[in-house]
Amino acid sequence: MKKHVAFLHQNYPAQFGPISQFILKNYDAEVSFFSEYTAKPVEARINHYFYEPQKTGHEKNPYFFSRHFEEEVANMHGIHTSVTNVLKEEPDLFVGHAGFGTLGLLHCEFPEVSKIGFYELFYDATGKITDSRPEYTSPKANRLRVPLRNATQLVELEYCTKGYSPTPFQKSTYPEAYQDKIEVLFDGIDTNLYSPGEVLNSTALNRTWPRDAKIITFVSRGLEAMRGFDIFMAAAHKLCQKRDDVHFVIAGNPHTHYGSEMAHLKGKSFKAHVLKQHDFDLSRFHFLNWISEPALVDLFRLSDCHFYWTTPFTLSWSFFQAMSTGVLMLGSNSLPVRDVLMDHVNGRLIDLYDIDQIVDTMLEVVSKPNNFTFMRENARTLMLEKFSFEVCLPR
């Protein structure tokens, strides 16, 4: 008998694009997807439905401490309305991103249907696990409401059948009472696309640096403190004084998506603030903003060294994609990075705030690339054996 799986996320396809296609390809199944937005055209054979969060009446003047929970409840209610209006029969399975409140109200309507929640991170009121840096602390009111930010996830944890988190670190942030409900399951990356290879003249990447330059890369959704944009720039500035053939290529929007630095700064962006900290030779820095996936692949292929820095938070897909492409990874010595990167084995771990160590390591990588070939190869092998679609999706 054909099974029916319904995915729920604010944005289509998000984390669920590859797994929904895998199900359609390998099983006799119907796949539905409920979302508020679409980031890509909907794939053939997927029944896509929009939902609209319910109005709370407080949109213009929300109560600060419960604002996030109220938005998420409005999301839950909108999903519930759409699902119950659209589906004439119960599906066999719901899969949703727990942080958005996708599954919360469905238990009332579909108590017998299994529900799997995607659990990304549980906010820590003690500050040990945080999306802020010590020098850019959150305002006191923001810190006080941290436990309330978890309210939706606690509802989801109570009523879900099972849950999963992408990495051991991310799972470890959840309460002990729910650890048995959550498995570590990574989404998977396309290791066929993100693979070592030559960069053709027809590349989608706009190259504005000399062809023979050494390239050190930084990639992030936003050029923000939580992802160490300022750390990278400080190290790059010092390295510029030591070698004149190294260029720095930065891909990411000049916005802060996570963290609290903008509460401390009066500038237009964290990028603008950072660029005022040193007398940068901007002819050596190449800001690409947001780039396409084919361009990102070629950027990693050209990179001699990739810098990835994060506080204890979620790991970026770009971290895995870079390792899969075979670039030498410099990763911050933080809990989530250590789940994947082993120092002197498949990359280099760098102390979070030791600029001199970062510069020395970058200098060694670009000066003696052959010494790091085995680390690049080990990184690629790890991605194939543990983090590829071929391994992750069947799990």
Side-chain angles (χ1 to χ4, degrees):
M1 181 185 295
K2 178 176 280 193
K3 301 294 185 181
H4 183 190
V5 183
F7 290 94
L8 311 137
H9 197 290
Q10 269 191 323
N11 203 8
Y12 170 90
Q15 285 90 354
F16 302 140
I19 188 62
S20 60
Q21 289 299 306
F22 181 83
I23 289 171
L24 286 171
K25 181 179 179 180
N26 292 280
Y27 297 93
D28 183 20
E30 178 182 1
V31 172
S32 296
F33 203 116
F34 291 81
S35 74
E36 185 180 358
Y37 312 104
T38 56
K40 295 180 179 179
V42 177
E43 296 281 354
R45 296 178 59 200
I46 289 182
N47 308 316
H48 180 264
Y49 308 101
F50 286 104
Y51 72 83
E52 185 176 351
Q54 295 293 315
K55 300 296 182 183
T56 66
H58 305 147
E59 282 80 10
K60 293 184 178 180
N61 189 30
Y63 178 49
F64 180 81
F65 283 89
S66 61
R67 177 173 68 85
H68 289 284
F69 182 61
E70 191 163 76
E71 290 174 356
E72 289 152 9
V73 171
N75 208 49
M76 292 183 203
H77 195 183
I79 288 173
H80 177 271
T81 300
S82 181
V83 168
T84 53
N85 286 344
V86 166
L87 299 184
K88 305 307 178 186
E89 297 181 359
E90 288 188 345
D92 296 282
L93 177 65
F94 287 113
V95 184
H97 190 306
F100 297 134
T102 54
L103 301 168
L105 297 184
L106 295 179
H107 182 75
C108 301
E109 198 77 31
F110 305 96
E112 303 303 320
V113 178
S114 293
K115 302 165 191 71
I116 295 177
F118 173 73
Y119 292 92
E120 206 159 16
L121 193 81
F122 197 80
Y123 291 98
D124 177 19
T126 69
K128 294 178 182 177
I129 300 165
T130 177
D131 61 357
S132 294
R133 296 233 310 248
E135 60 270 55
Y136 298 116
T137 55
S138 299
K140 184 175 182 180
N142 291 67
R143 298 196 299 274
L144 280 175
R145 75 174 179 184
V146 166
L148 306 175
R149 292 291 308 275
N150 292 319
T152 294
Q153 293 201 84
L154 288 170
V155 170
E156 300 267 21
L157 280 165
E158 182 63 30
Y159 290 114
C160 76
T161 311
K162 290 286 287 186
Y164 71 99
S165 290
T167 66
F169 165 74
Q170 286 168 264
K171 176 186 173 180
S172 74
T173 65
Y174 286 89
E176 183 63 33
Y178 294 104
Q179 284 289 310
D180 289 344
K181 263 193 168 182
I182 303 173
E183 290 190 31
V184 175
L185 287 171
F186 186 67
D187 305 293
I189 57 169
D190 188 345
T191 52
N192 295 313
L193 175 63
Y194 290 95
S195 61
E198 296 296 322
V199 176
L200 304 177
N201 290 331
S202 58
T203 177
L205 183 65
N206 180 27
R207 286 189 275 192
T208 58
W209 51 90
R211 295 273 176 150
D212 59 349
K214 297 288 185 180
I215 300 298
I216 297 180
T217 50
F218 177 94
V219 173
S220 180
R221 179 187 177 196
L223 306 184
E224 56 199 3
M226 198 201 73
R227 297 304 191 191
F229 173 64
D230 56 328
I231 306 297
F232 172 78
M233 292 297 290
H237 176 66
K238 274 199 167 186
L239 185 55
C240 276
Q241 320 305 314
K242 297 177 179 292
R243 285 189 64 145
D244 59 10
D245 62 339
V246 180
H247 284 243
F248 305 90
V249 185
I250 300 103
N253 289 318
H255 306 301
T256 291
H257 298 280
Y258 303 104
S260 302
E261 64 264 29
M262 297 314 296
H264 297 260
L265 305 175
K266 296 181 180 180
K268 293 182 179 180
S269 68
F270 188 59
K271 175 186 174 183
H273 166 76
V274 170
L275 289 179
K276 292 178 180 177
Q277 303 309 302
H278 301 283
D279 184 19
F280 292 102
D281 178 1
L282 292 180
S283 68
R284 308 267 295 276
F285 291 83
H286 307 266
F287 292 93
L288 306 183
N289 293 323
W290 189 260
I291 60 176
S292 67
E293 197 165 37
L296 182 60
V297 173
D298 282 347
L299 179 60
F300 287 144
R301 287 174 174 172
L302 290 172
S303 178
D304 294 282
C305 176
H306 184 67
F307 179 90
Y308 181 82
W309 195 103
T310 188
T311 60
F313 200 60
T314 59
L315 277 180
S316 309
W317 279 339
S318 64
F319 172 80
F320 298 92
Q321 292 161 345
M323 292 185 76
S324 180
T325 312
V327 61
L328 194 283
M329 176 68 72
L330 264 62
S332 58
N333 192 1
S334 53
L335 285 169
V337 172
R338 291 201 301 270
D339 275 343
V340 181
L341 198 154
M342 294 170 283
D343 194 27
H344 292 283
V345 176
N346 55 18
R348 291 300 313 275
L349 287 172
I350 47 179
D351 290 342
L352 276 76
Y353 295 99
D354 191 338
I355 301 298
D356 288 336
Q357 184 212 20
I358 295 169
V359 172
D360 289 344
T361 307
M362 287 179 171
L363 185 61
E364 184 182 3
V365 173
V366 297
S367 301
K368 302 175 181 177
N370 291 339
N371 291 356
F372 298 86
T373 300
F374 76 96
M375 296 184 203
R376 295 184 179 94
E377 292 172 347
N378 286 344
R380 170 68 177 170
T381 298
L382 179 66
M383 294 301 109
L384 290 171
E385 293 181 349
K386 191 172 180 179
F387 296 101
S388 66
F389 282 154
E390 288 76 11
V391 172
C392 296
L393 295 180
R395 289 189 63 203

